[in-house]
Amino acid sequence: MALRQLPVPIFRSAAPPRTGALSRFFQERKRFWYPYSTGPFRDVSSQPAKSGGDAHAPSSASSNNAQRSAASESPTEARDTVDGSSSGSQPRADWEENPDLNISTFSELPHENFGVNQHILINQELKEALRQILWQFRAPIRYAIAYGSGVFPQSTGSSASGPSVHPAPGSAIRAAQPGKGKMIDMIFGVSYSQHWHSLNLTEHRDHYSMVGSLGSGFVTSVQEKWGAGVYFNPYVTVNGTMIKYGVVNLDSLCQDLSGWQTLYLAGRLQKPVKILRDDARVRLANQINLISALRTALLMLPPSFSEQQLYGAIAGISYMGDPRMSLRTENPRKVANIVANQMTNFRRLYAPLIADLPNVQFTDPRCSQVGWHDDPDIDVRIAQDMDPTKRGNMVCRLPKAFREKLYFQFQRRYQIPQLEFDTLLEASSGEEQGSTRIKRRQGGIFDRRIAADQDGLALLLPRVIKKTIAWPSTSQSIKGFFTAGTAKSMRYLGEKAGKWREGRRQQARNSSHDETSKQVPLKPPSSPAPSSDASSQSESSSSSAGASSKESPRPAP
């Protein structure tokens, strides 16, 4: 059943709420943030939902669950914020601290609207056309997303003219991709990789290269033991549409989303994607991924910054260490293009998380205007508290494997002896284990020292990201030559090289435009007080572009 679309959320005031858990924030602000939701809020602990698709409809509840739901609203219960301390006398289970990635239904998520910010709105006809592609695979797909420039345009103009890349596209695809069009990228999450490939090889043998002739067992080994755990089949025609789809095991996907082992898939889901088929545990793991990406970006940013700077830092995470960016096989302006053309979608993903963090808030007065979320042309200001204690909490709540790599880099920076370093890690681990039963994990002395070192974070955090991504991304690219075949691989490299040249031309045009704009023509002598007029115009434009910096002073670093 189609979901009714309601108005996009708005703020009641310029300052978002600073306290309350994500579930409490969703409960209080649901009718502002989530166009998928209708009716009064009902806690999902007493309202089991359907497991599958985009269904969020609650059903009846048992009396025991209803009592637990009522108890959860008690004022004496601990209330944890995403990055704050808990209050109250009783402990509360935390989805981020102790995620249960073995859940199978949406009713087991923390609450009814948990993670709905992940559902990005696109054209209804295009969404249905993409979903029809999934039905052409008889092998079971548990989770599916469509992403990339084929779904979310990265430029305002139409694509190059010429024959469409799609052999026989439907009307929805033609309307969404005028001109030559672009291949549509997809990721399929499956429960049993070998079983899935066995069924798919029987039905779609032409999707595979020569690797497929070695059987589903070998294909699965290539998928899971090489690269980042994904097996891509590019330049495949389904329903007259050219697609590239990657197959990943759900366990591998959830591990990367929640633990950042490779950041290959996690980085893709940190940007707007269209979920075509949802899964409860992937939604839970991806919510952890999103809040981790937000914290990482905040640690690299100054006290005050623009919305575009924040989303650019988040979108750039997955491209640090990507060999395509250094081998001239990708548009050098890709990150800037993604953010500039997807501002409203980034807001939908991250604005609820920003609003719930106690140390960051929107400070731009334009946030009080009705419908500002829908305006892609505004770039509002955001400020964060640089207090080392709060930022230390953000450091210690990064994914464990990623955080340990960051610790090692700072050990080398501070030249801490190994014995002393081991003692610091044991103390941090003790705090972590002791805090899971009582309150949220709090940063230790080492975390606060890291958080206070802004220069160190600016230098070492990108280095850790690159080290995490570089080898999985490189080996995945090498694997593509075998899984795609020689002809398709050369075609793919040719297209990526074309994107690099296009990006260079775009940079040249922008540089030329900037140089031209700097050349201000002289006023004729008879013109009255030209300098005064120019000065007033300059002051007027600067005040309208940065009103927040005057009304909301930046916090001290």
Side-chain angles (χ1 to χ4, degrees):
M1 180 176 64
L3 298 173
R4 182 160 63 98
Q5 181 176 346
L6 300 180
V8 174
I10 61 169
F11 280 128
R12 285 184 180 272
S13 61
R18 296 291 297 270
T19 60
L22 268 177
S23 59
R24 181 175 177 82
F25 175 74
F26 289 155
Q27 180 175 359
E28 294 175 348
R29 299 283 178 170
K30 168 177 168 282
R31 60 195 179 96
F32 295 103
W33 284 115
Y34 301 115
Y36 285 110
S37 307
T38 57
F41 177 84
R42 291 183 289 267
D43 193 286
V44 77
S45 63
S46 61
Q47 305 286 347
K50 298 179 181 179
S51 59
D54 288 341
H56 307 285
S59 60
S60 60
S62 64
S63 59
N64 291 337
N65 286 339
Q67 290 175 1
R68 286 198 299 269
S69 176
S72 69
E73 298 174 1
S74 170
T76 61
E77 182 175 355
R79 297 175 182 174
D80 295 341
T81 60
V82 171
D83 273 297
S85 59
S86 60
S87 60
S89 58
Q90 301 202 7
R92 170 180 172 173
D94 191 295
W95 60 268
E96 190 185 356
E97 296 292 322
N98 302 292
D100 182 7
L101 296 179
N102 295 316
I103 62 175
S104 58
T105 64
F106 290 102
S107 63
E108 297 175 89
L109 289 171
H111 55 81
E112 178 186 356
N113 297 301
F114 181 86
V116 184
N117 56 310
Q118 300 173 26
H119 282 268
I120 303 300
L121 301 177
I122 64 172
N123 178 270
Q124 183 70 20
E125 288 74 18
L126 176 60
K127 181 181 73 173
E128 292 304 322
L130 296 176
R131 283 180 170 173
Q132 287 299 317
I133 292 176
L134 302 182
W135 288 107
Q136 305 307 309
F137 293 85
R138 300 175 69 179
I141 300 172
R142 291 288 305 274
Y143 181 81
I145 62 170
Y147 67 99
S149 58
V151 182
F152 300 97
Q154 297 174 10
S155 61
T156 54
S158 60
S159 60
S161 59
S164 174
V165 298
H166 307 292
S171 58
I173 301 295
R174 288 197 303 270
Q177 296 187 359
K180 189 175 181 181
K182 296 181 179 180
M183 182 171 61
I184 294 175
D185 298 331
M186 292 183 170
I187 295 289
F188 298 161
V190 303
S191 298
Y192 305 99
S193 299
Q194 184 170 350
H195 176 65
W196 196 92
H197 285 296
S198 177
L199 295 175
N200 201 46
L201 279 166
T202 302
E203 184 182 14
H204 301 296
R205 175 61 184 86
D206 58 312
H207 291 184
Y208 293 79
S209 66
M210 291 298 294
V211 175
S213 62
L214 300 177
S216 61
F218 186 79
V219 170
T220 303
S221 296
V222 171
Q223 172 188 318
E224 298 183 348
K225 295 181 180 179
W226 295 2
V230 193
Y231 191 101
F232 281 104
N233 284 325
Y235 301 106
V236 170
T237 302
V238 181
N239 277 3
T241 302
M242 184 72 71
I243 70 170
K244 177 184 76 175
Y245 66 90
V247 182
V248 60
N249 187 276
L250 282 178
D251 293 335
S252 301
L253 176 59
C254 290
Q255 288 171 8
D256 194 41
L257 290 174
S258 60
W260 283 15
Q261 277 81 4
T262 68
L263 265 173
Y264 187 84
L265 293 170
R268 279 159 173 74
L269 272 75
Q270 288 164 4
K271 300 181 285 291
V273 301
K274 180 54 190 175
I275 299 175
L276 303 173
R277 194 170 291 175
D278 206 353
D279 180 82
R281 60 175 175 153
V282 177
R283 187 189 294 187
L284 174 59
N286 194 34
Q287 200 72 352
I288 298 173
N289 176 41
L290 295 177
I291 191 64
S292 298
L294 177 59
R295 288 188 179 120
T296 302
L298 289 172
L299 288 170
M300 294 188 291
L301 289 170
S304 181
F305 47 90
S306 69
E307 198 180 18
Q308 194 162 16
Q309 286 177 300
L310 173 64
Y311 301 149
I314 293 173
I317 289 176
S318 62
Y319 293 104
M320 294 182 185
D322 191 332
R324 297 176 302 174
M325 302 302 291
S326 56
L327 295 177
R328 298 185 176 185
T329 53
E330 190 55 271
N331 188 337
R333 289 185 52 84
K334 188 175 182 68
V335 173
N337 291 341
I338 291 173
V339 175
N341 292 278
Q342 298 298 323
M343 283 291 286
T344 56
N345 290 331
F346 272 101
R347 285 183 190 133
R348 178 170 177 83
L349 272 178
Y350 291 103
L353 303 180
I354 293 171
D356 199 65
L357 286 172
N359 58 326
V360 60
Q361 64 176 335
F362 292 99
T363 58
D364 201 304
R366 289 174 293 183
C367 294
S368 61
Q369 299 174 2
V370 175
W372 74 273
H373 287 85
D374 286 333
D375 190 347
D377 297 325
I378 64 173
D379 186 13
V380 301
R381 300 296 300 179
I382 305 174
Q384 63 171 324
D385 190 344
M386 304 299 285
D387 175 51
T389 299
K390 294 181 179 180
R391 289 172 65 80
N393 291 342
M394 291 201 297
V395 171
C396 81
R397 290 167 192 167
L398 294 173
K400 184 177 180 181
F402 182 84
R403 185 176 73 246
E404 289 176 351
K405 295 175 185 177
L406 184 65
Y407 286 165
F408 177 72
Q409 292 294 326
F410 274 93
Q411 178 201 11
R412 296 179 61 183
R413 177 178 175 85
Y414 299 144
Q415 299 182 349
I416 302 175
Q418 187 62 41
L419 183 61
E420 182 181 349
F421 180 67
D422 292 339
T423 303
L424 286 173
L425 292 185
E426 288 177 4
S428 176
S429 176
E431 291 177 3
E432 178 179 332
Q433 293 175 2
S435 65
T436 54
R437 295 188 181 90
I438 302 174
K439 60 183 181 179
R440 290 182 56 81
R441 191 165 63 241
Q442 303 295 310
I445 296 175
F446 193 44
D447 297 301
R448 292 192 288 272
R449 183 178 180 184
I450 292 173
D453 189 351
Q454 277 296 101
D455 293 336
L457 281 171
L459 174 67
L460 298 180
L461 202 49
R463 182 181 299 176
V464 174
I465 295 172
K466 291 177 182 178
K467 287 181 176 292
T468 303
I469 294 175
W471 173 243
S473 183
T474 301
S475 57
Q476 184 70 40
S477 299
I478 295 172
K479 182 173 73 173
F481 281 95
F482 299 95
T483 59
T486 304
K488 291 182 177 180
S489 296
M490 297 307 296
R491 177 180 176 182
Y492 182 79
L493 286 176
E495 291 182 357
K496 288 297 182 181
K499 290 184 177 181
W500 179 84
R501 290 191 295 268
E502 179 186 353
R504 295 290 293 180
R505 288 193 295 267
Q506 185 179 0
Q507 283 183 330
R509 287 194 300 268
N510 291 342
S511 300
S512 175
H513 180 270
D514 292 341
E515 290 296 329
T516 304
S517 62
K518 290 178 182 178
Q519 299 176 4
V520 181
L522 296 175
K523 295 281 185 178
S526 59
S527 166
S531 60
S532 176
D533 292 342
S535 175
S536 63
Q537 291 177 5
S538 175
E539 292 176 2
S540 175
S541 61
S542 63
S543 64
S544 63
S548 61
S549 62
K550 296 182 179 180
E551 299 188 9
S552 302
R554 299 182 180 184

